[in-house]
Amino acid sequence: MFRMSAITLRLFVLLILLISSIFGAIYLFSVPLIKNNVFKLELNSNRQVLNVVYDLASSISFNSDTYINRTLSHHEHRLKSIVELTENYIESAVVNGRAKGRSEEEIWEDIFFSLRHFKFGFEGYVWITDYNAKILAHPSPLFNDTDLSLYIDVDGERVIPKLVDLALKENEGFYKYKWNRLNETQIIDKYSFVKNMAQWGFVIGAGVYIDDLQKEIAAQKEKAVNDIADVLKDINIANNGYLYVFDSQGNMLFHPNANINGINFKTQLNPVTGNPIYKDLMAMADTGEELYYKWDRPDDPGRYNYEKLSLTRHLSGFDWYISSSVYFDDLMFSSIQLSQRIVAIGVVGLFVGALLAFLFAKWITSPIRKLSLTAQKINKGDLMAKTGIKRNDELGVLAESFDYMVSRLRDNITTLNLRVAERTQGLSESNQQLLGAVQRLELTQSELRAAEARQRLILNALPAQVAYLDSDLHFVFANREYLEIFNETKDSIVGKPISSVVNAEMYAAISPHIERALQGERVIYEYPLIDKGQPILTRRTVLPFYDDNKKVVGLLTLSIDITKERETENRLAEASKMKTVGQLSGGLAHDFNNLLTIILGNLLELQLEDKFPQKWNYHLIPAIRATRRGANLTRRLLAFSRRQPLSPSYIEPKSLIHDVIELISAPLPDNIVLLTQVIDHCPAIYVDSALMEDALVNLMLNSADAMSKGGRLTLAVNKVNGATLSTHYSFDESISPGQYVLFTIQDSGTGFTPEALVKACEPFYTTKLSGAGSGLGLSMVFGFVKQSKGYMRVANNDDIGACVEILLPATDGTNNSSPCILPTTKRLSKESKDALVLLIEDNQDVRSVVRQQLVGLGYAVIEASTADEAMNLLNMGLPSLVGVVSDGVMPGSATCYDVNVLIQKEYPKAFFILMTGYSDKLVNIEYDGIFLQKPFDSNALFNAIEVNFINNSGHNND
């Protein structure tokens, strides 16, 4: 019969208690709450049924003159009930979602999704908005998840902000406003009940269209009288609930029970209060509270012991009382059934958990039991016993060490027995005298062997090279790591001088350190070694060992592999250097761009002079061309220094590679074979598409240049895990965990030299002939990759050629940011009179050049040297203002972004163009308007204005 070990039993019991506690806690905290919420839902359903029937009956009492108002009152109750039902649903969904351990984001996403598809009546729906007038739930895709703070109706009213303000002020109420039907554009009157849900920070509304009320007048009057009786007969509430109608005289006008229908039940008493039941019902009418009483059941007539709840509504037009009647047990049935299912699931889960706990406990304690049984056998004298445990963990190491100790003990005992047997005959008399001494000696030897075995086991387990030498520098001991690094065994190394174990070069290098240690000094130094074919760097510590007379009688040497530590230090130093170079390059590019703007603008202006001699073009055109080359150089410096403004978007790698192949195919020589490998379902990346194309084309052209005699060029795209990749490859810095897209460019060319591998990404470093390259290609790619939160690796292939890898974060391809809606404007002709442009630039020379370009385009120009000065001018009023051209960074408290916000608010038809030479602020702040890169000419300025007009005309804020 199976017998469980004590340790297994204890661990199993502990796990069972833990699992039981978890299930018990889940049951205690969730089941009562779920039962209560389900009971509330059933009770609320009872109320809704009664309200619907009451609304139907109310339609009979309306006359032609007052029908619209009464129908409106009916819909007010209905809309209020819908909002209350929505509130109850949200409360229940939040509680249930939290009980299931779901995140708040998932809970609210499901709630808003369900409410978007909830409808009632004829095109009735529920909508939700936050306090900033952003729609959180709406069935129309036009309004759902949309900011309607600026939405204006035909009367010029901001509808949603107004409703939100009324709800915040009055908490709830009915309001009339203008809105269009779903899938229609006509604006009509609408009447809604709006309630502030302060506990969740938003407003819920439900409404009805006024013309729908008017359409209901004729149809409801004709149909309601004939249908009410049939409706009441067919309505069931819960399992045995029903509706009935009586008047103030106690006459039962309608009841599904034929024995009660049509009788006067004034004499029927409420067993709970002792009052006539019809008076208790009348007293509770329209209070919103249910009457609690006891009644009999159809299957048990005459016994008034069953609890019931009735909700009563008074129909004043006919003096009718419409009541719902439902048994308390029926309301509790769903919650009890749900709790029983939860308990059943918990019991099954507890059983499965117990089974898994038993298997886990048995698995984890089985090796310990084997060790215990083996120890018992050895204790009884069976020295051939072994554990038989083969595991790759600490228990496996313990079992292996245990078996090794037993084997050594058995060998030593056997050897000792043989020696004693050989001398037994000649020393039989001495044996009697020395028996006590021998026993003590055996005990001492056993203890020494055990101590030696423990010491060797510990030293062999250390991840370091440990050895002990005597004062003559002969080895006394070396651990496993030390033996492996110098290809020795524990027996062969003992007694050898250190000069015969290490090579002559190493001995010459470490001799001074050993001599210092022999003088009593603690010495630490570093020395490179070859371990398993790979070079490593070790930090070696030599400690002097003293005798009782404080004399050095030996040396203890301890060596630790610090290769990875040193590589990390080198990478950090390189990253710091590149950052410093980038900051210097970016600063130079900023000032240089301003200078180039002044030079290029004045040169172009000089070229356009009517009296300009054509022969001067021989000198002027090279100067303009050199200025443009300088501008291109600054753009590359900005790319390296990670200060260039980016326009990132979500890009599918397969589409990106297709575009790159189309760009690169023409310039590639015929003797180069281009191969592409893109995995299926590759995730998207969020980068500047144009700069990403430039980076890949740049790298591929560099690879082509390295294959002057032709070869193979491969572009591969793969999805990788950052945690796995960081353990196999050395990128420019440590990789953060997450999913990435890896772009690999490989060629079969000459590869990188050792110097190029170190300096490839540094600015102005090039291996090409003088004048053939600027030395900014790879540095520009590196800067773009780092600015895009990626990583880069430059290496040589194992066989031939070079390899450059770019690692970029993978995304789900969904852009959650809302596009900026710019105001609609009409294009301003260059010939328009009084077309005024505000020019903001702190550099007077740059301002003079840009002013001249704007005047050349036909605009009048007003200047400001700071954003503060510009905002003062705008606040004073510039009626003929058509646009603003502003520098990115200027002195003062206000910024160019403050000016842009003021322009959109006060001058919605004016364009806004941002000039930039470089700035950290421009890089780090999202701005989706028009950038104009310095330096530029009048054509670039005109094109920027053109683009601004096109973008503005593509939006409509109706």
Side-chain angles (χ1 to χ4, degrees):
M1 183 177 179
F2 174 77
R3 182 175 178 271
M4 189 183 300
S5 66
I7 190 172
T8 304
L9 179 60
R10 292 173 185 173
L11 182 58
F12 174 70
V13 171
L14 180 62
L15 293 175
I16 289 296
L17 290 176
L18 178 62
I19 295 172
S20 301
S21 299
I22 293 173
F23 277 108
I26 293 174
Y27 178 85
L28 292 176
F29 284 99
S30 63
V31 171
L33 184 62
I34 293 173
K35 291 176 66 176
N36 184 52
N37 288 334
V38 172
F39 175 82
K40 288 183 179 179
L41 289 175
E42 291 286 348
L43 189 59
N44 192 62
S45 299
N46 175 35
R47 293 182 178 180
Q48 297 305 318
V49 171
L50 179 61
N51 288 337
V52 171
V53 173
Y54 175 83
D55 293 340
L56 180 63
S58 297
S59 64
I60 300 175
S61 64
F62 293 165
N63 55 41
S64 300
D65 296 331
T66 62
Y67 188 79
I68 293 179
N69 292 332
R70 293 185 180 182
T71 301
L72 186 60
S73 177
H74 149 67
H75 279 285
E76 286 180 350
H77 285 291
R78 183 185 183 194
L79 294 175
K80 194 169 183 180
S81 299
I82 291 297
V83 172
E84 290 176 352
L85 179 62
T86 302
E87 182 181 4
N88 292 336
Y89 166 73
I90 293 175
E91 181 179 0
S92 176
V94 170
V95 171
N96 292 336
R98 290 173 178 170
K100 294 178 181 178
R102 303 185 67 191
S103 66
E104 292 293 321
E105 182 179 358
E106 293 175 337
I107 293 172
W108 286 109
E109 183 179 358
D110 291 345
I111 290 173
F112 292 150
F113 178 83
S114 299
L115 293 179
R116 287 199 298 270
H117 297 83
F118 171 70
K119 292 185 179 180
F120 61 91
F122 179 73
E123 294 188 353
Y125 58 86
V126 175
W127 53 270
I128 301 177
T129 178
D130 62 17
Y131 294 156
N132 296 321
K134 180 179 179 181
I135 301 299
L136 303 178
H138 195 285
S140 171
L142 182 63
F143 299 115
N144 186 59
D145 199 26
T146 302
D147 184 359
L148 295 185
S149 58
L150 301 179
Y151 180 84
I152 300 175
D153 63 13
V154 295
D155 295 333
E157 292 284 342
R158 293 187 177 182
V159 179
I160 300 303
K162 181 178 180 181
L163 293 177
V164 172
D165 291 340
L166 289 172
L168 291 174
K169 180 179 179 181
E170 302 174 4
N171 194 49
E172 65 179 47
F174 294 90
Y175 309 105
K176 185 178 178 182
Y177 57 96
K178 295 184 180 297
W179 201 261
N180 60 292
R181 292 181 181 273
L182 294 177
N183 303 322
E184 294 183 9
T185 59
Q186 182 181 1
I187 306 298
I188 59 177
D189 289 334
K190 189 173 183 180
Y191 191 71
S192 287
F193 175 71
V194 180
K195 184 174 182 181
N196 176 28
M197 301 298 173
Q199 68 272 34
W200 298 311
F202 54 70
V203 173
I204 300 180
V208 61
Y209 296 97
I210 299 299
D211 60 351
D212 289 341
L213 301 180
Q214 296 173 346
K215 293 177 183 178
E216 291 178 6
I217 296 174
Q220 289 185 353
K221 280 186 176 181
E222 180 180 354
K223 185 178 180 182
V225 176
N226 298 325
D227 291 346
I228 186 169
D230 294 333
V231 170
L232 292 177
K233 291 178 182 179
D234 297 333
I235 289 178
N236 289 322
I237 302 174
N239 291 333
N240 297 304
Y242 51 84
L243 296 175
Y244 58 94
V245 182
F246 66 96
D247 61 17
S248 59
Q249 303 302 317
N251 296 314
M252 185 64 70
L253 303 179
F254 172 80
H255 197 284
N257 188 343
N259 296 327
I260 303 176
N261 187 44
I263 70 170
N264 186 292
F265 66 111
K266 281 186 177 181
T267 59
Q268 187 68 51
L269 301 180
N270 183 354
V272 177
T273 64
N275 300 325
I277 187 69
Y278 84 101
K279 289 188 176 181
D280 287 347
L281 291 170
M282 291 168 57
M284 297 296 291
D286 295 329
T287 63
E289 300 291 334
E290 285 81 9
L291 174 66
Y292 171 80
Y293 64 100
K294 293 185 178 181
W295 209 252
D296 62 345
R297 293 181 67 96
D299 55 352
D300 191 12
R303 291 187 59 199
Y304 295 88
N305 297 326
Y306 299 97
E307 297 176 312
K308 297 194 73 173
L309 293 175
S310 280
L311 185 68
T312 305
R313 298 293 303 274
H314 182 218
L315 189 62
S316 59
F318 290 143
D319 195 23
W320 286 1
Y321 290 89
I322 304 175
S323 296
S324 65
S325 180
V326 61
Y327 289 95
F328 191 87
D329 291 340
D330 291 344
L331 292 175
M332 293 294 296
F333 177 77
S334 296
S335 61
I336 293 174
Q337 188 180 47
L338 179 60
S339 64
Q340 289 174 347
R341 292 180 179 177
I342 293 175
V343 171
I345 293 173
V347 171
V348 173
L350 184 60
F351 176 79
V352 174
L355 179 59
L356 293 177
F358 172 75
L359 295 176
F360 175 77
K362 183 174 177 58
W363 178 79
I364 200 68
T365 59
S366 177
I368 300 176
R369 179 174 174 79
K370 288 183 178 179
L371 281 171
S372 176
L373 294 175
T374 305
Q376 291 177 3
K377 292 180 181 179
I378 294 172
N379 187 46
K380 295 179 181 179
D382 185 6
L383 296 180
M384 300 301 295
K386 290 187 177 182
T387 60
I389 298 173
K390 302 294 183 180
R391 292 174 59 135
N392 294 325
D393 54 18
E394 289 78 5
L395 289 174
V397 174
L398 178 61
E400 181 182 356
S401 302
F402 185 87
D403 289 340
Y404 177 76
M405 290 170 59
V406 173
S407 176
R408 288 293 304 272
L409 178 61
R410 183 176 60 248
D411 293 340
N412 290 335
I413 291 175
T414 302
T415 302
L416 183 59
N417 290 336
L418 290 175
R419 292 178 180 178
V420 171
E422 291 175 355
R423 302 186 61 184
T424 298
Q425 186 175 0
L427 299 174
S428 57
E429 296 179 0
S430 301
N431 285 342
Q432 295 298 325
Q433 300 174 1
L434 298 177
L435 181 58
V438 170
Q439 291 176 347
R440 290 191 297 272
L441 179 60
E442 289 178 347
L443 179 60
T444 303
Q445 289 177 339
S446 177
E447 292 176 351
L448 288 174
R449 284 193 297 270
E452 179 185 357
R454 285 195 300 270
Q455 183 185 37
R456 183 173 293 278
L457 182 63
I458 293 171
L459 293 177
N460 285 337
L462 291 176
Q465 305 165 27
V466 182
Y468 181 78
L469 298 89
D470 59 22
S471 58
D472 295 328
L473 301 183
H474 289 77
F475 282 95
V476 177
F477 168 82
N479 73 338
R480 185 179 302 171
E481 289 282 340
Y482 200 99
L483 295 174
E484 290 178 354
I485 202 75
F486 292 107
N487 297 319
E488 295 282 349
T489 66
K490 65 180 180 179
D491 295 326
S492 64
I493 199 171
V494 175
K496 279 188 177 181
I498 190 172
S499 58
S500 64
V501 175
V502 303
N503 57 43
E505 181 182 357
M506 180 177 179
Y507 183 73
I510 67 176
S511 290
H513 304 298
I514 294 176
E515 292 297 330
R516 289 167 54 197
L518 288 173
Q519 299 300 319
E521 182 181 351
R522 184 174 182 267
V523 181
I524 300 176
Y525 64 96
E526 296 178 0
Y527 191 81
L529 291 174
I530 301 297
D531 183 19
K532 299 177 182 178
Q534 298 293 329
I536 64 172
L537 181 64
T538 62
R539 179 181 289 120
R540 312 182 78 83
T541 302
V542 184
L543 302 172
F545 192 80
Y546 302 94
D547 61 7
D548 294 338
N549 298 322
K550 302 299 181 181
K551 179 182 178 182
V552 177
V553 295
L555 300 176
L556 180 65
T557 173
L558 173 66
S559 301
I560 300 175
D561 185 355
I562 61 169
T563 306
K564 292 185 178 179
E565 177 184 341
R566 187 55 50 84
E567 290 176 353
T568 301
E569 292 175 356
N570 292 337
R571 283 200 300 270
L572 289 175
E574 183 66 20
S576 176
K577 181 184 73 174
M578 296 297 284
K579 180 179 179 181
T580 303
V581 174
Q583 290 173 343
L584 176 61
S585 301
L588 291 174
H590 172 250
D591 295 337
F592 197 43
N593 271 333
N594 277 340
L595 295 176
L596 290 176
T597 300
I598 298 169
I599 296 172
L600 181 62
N602 284 288
L603 290 176
L604 292 175
E605 192 64 31
L606 178 63
Q607 193 179 37
L608 294 176
E609 288 291 333
D610 295 336
K611 299 180 181 181
F612 177 75
Q614 293 299 318
K615 64 180 180 179
W616 287 9
N617 278 325
Y618 180 78
H619 302 285
L620 190 61
I621 291 177
I624 294 174
R625 189 162 51 245
T627 304
R628 296 188 187 278
R629 282 200 301 268
N632 183 55
L633 185 62
T634 60
R635 279 192 291 272
R636 289 172 174 253
L637 283 173
L638 288 176
F640 163 72
S641 62
R642 315 173 200 174
R643 266 70 174 181
Q644 61 181 339
L646 299 180
S647 299
S649 61
Y650 291 89
I651 305 173
E652 294 294 336
K654 184 171 291 186
S655 174
L656 172 67
I657 297 305
H658 180 269
D659 295 341
V660 170
I661 296 305
E662 288 186 351
L663 290 173
I664 200 67
S665 296
L668 275 183
D670 295 337
N671 59 355
I672 294 179
V673 178
L674 177 60
L675 304 175
T676 59
Q677 300 173 358
V678 183
I679 64 169
D680 295 332
H681 309 296
C682 186
I685 55 176
Y686 187 62
V687 296
D688 189 308
S689 60
L691 294 179
M692 185 64 190
E693 286 184 3
D694 291 345
L696 294 177
V697 169
N698 195 325
L699 293 175
M700 296 175 72
L701 290 177
N702 281 349
S703 294
D705 291 342
M707 296 183 289
S708 58
K709 297 181 180 180
R712 182 182 70 257
L713 176 59
T714 303
L715 174 57
V717 182
N718 290 285
K719 175 184 176 182
V720 296
N721 185 291
T724 304
L725 196 65
S726 62
T727 61
H728 295 86
Y729 297 95
S730 177
F731 280 80
D732 60 285
E733 59 179 313
S734 299
I735 301 172
S736 301
Q739 297 297 322
Y740 292 86
V741 176
L742 179 63
F743 293 83
T744 304
I745 299 93
Q746 290 182 310
D747 61 63
S748 58
T750 57
F752 291 100
T753 64
E755 180 186 11
L757 284 175
V758 176
K759 298 183 178 181
C761 294
E762 294 185 5
F764 305 113
Y765 177 79
T766 179
T767 58
K768 298 179 181 179
L769 298 177
S770 177
S774 64
L776 287 173
L778 273 177
S779 63
M780 178 185 67
V781 175
F782 178 74
F784 163 71
V785 170
K786 302 310 295 180
Q787 193 174 355
S788 301
K789 300 180 180 179
Y791 307 89
M792 185 168 169
R793 175 175 175 263
V794 178
N796 285 325
N797 297 322
D798 294 336
D799 49 1
I800 187 173
C803 173
V804 179
E805 293 179 316
I806 296 175
L807 193 65
L808 295 172
T811 69
D812 57 5
T814 303
N815 188 353
N816 294 324
S817 61
S818 299
C820 178
I821 300 178
L822 299 176
T824 303
T825 185
K826 295 182 180 179
R827 176 176 176 181
L828 179 66
S829 172
K830 292 190 291 185
E831 291 78 22
S832 298
K833 295 182 179 180
D834 300 327
L836 180 64
V837 174
L838 174 60
L839 174 61
I840 313 171
E841 168 62 60
D842 59 320
N843 187 304
Q844 182 177 356
D845 293 332
V846 175
R847 191 167 66 246
S848 175
V849 171
V850 180
R851 174 189 177 90
Q852 193 65 31
Q853 292 175 350
L854 288 169
V855 171
L857 294 176
Y859 296 105
V861 181
I862 183 171
E863 300 180 15
S865 60
T866 66
D868 295 309
E869 181 181 347
M871 294 187 70
N872 290 333
L873 292 173
L874 293 171
N875 289 324
M876 292 172 59
L878 300 174
S880 58
L881 185 71
V882 299
V884 176
V885 179
S886 174
D887 191 19
V889 179
M890 294 168 289
S893 59
T895 67
C896 59
Y897 300 104
D898 298 327
V899 178
N900 185 25
V901 172
L902 183 60
I903 286 295
Q904 293 191 21
K905 179 180 178 181
E906 301 295 338
Y907 302 88
K909 294 185 178 181
F911 63 80
F912 187 88
I913 296 175
L914 189 61
M915 303 180 295
T916 172
Y918 138 73
S919 172
D920 281 332
K921 297 179 181 177
L922 296 183
V923 173
N924 296 327
I925 297 179
E926 290 191 5
Y927 165 71
D928 54 3
I930 301 301
F931 275 113
L932 191 57
Q933 181 73 37
K934 294 180 181 178
F936 55 85
D937 55 18
S938 58
N939 288 331
L941 179 59
F942 178 75
N943 290 334
I945 297 175
E946 285 281 296
V947 172
N948 204 310
F949 278 124
I950 293 173
N951 287 346
N952 288 348
S953 64
H955 297 275
N956 195 333
N957 66 345
D958 289 343

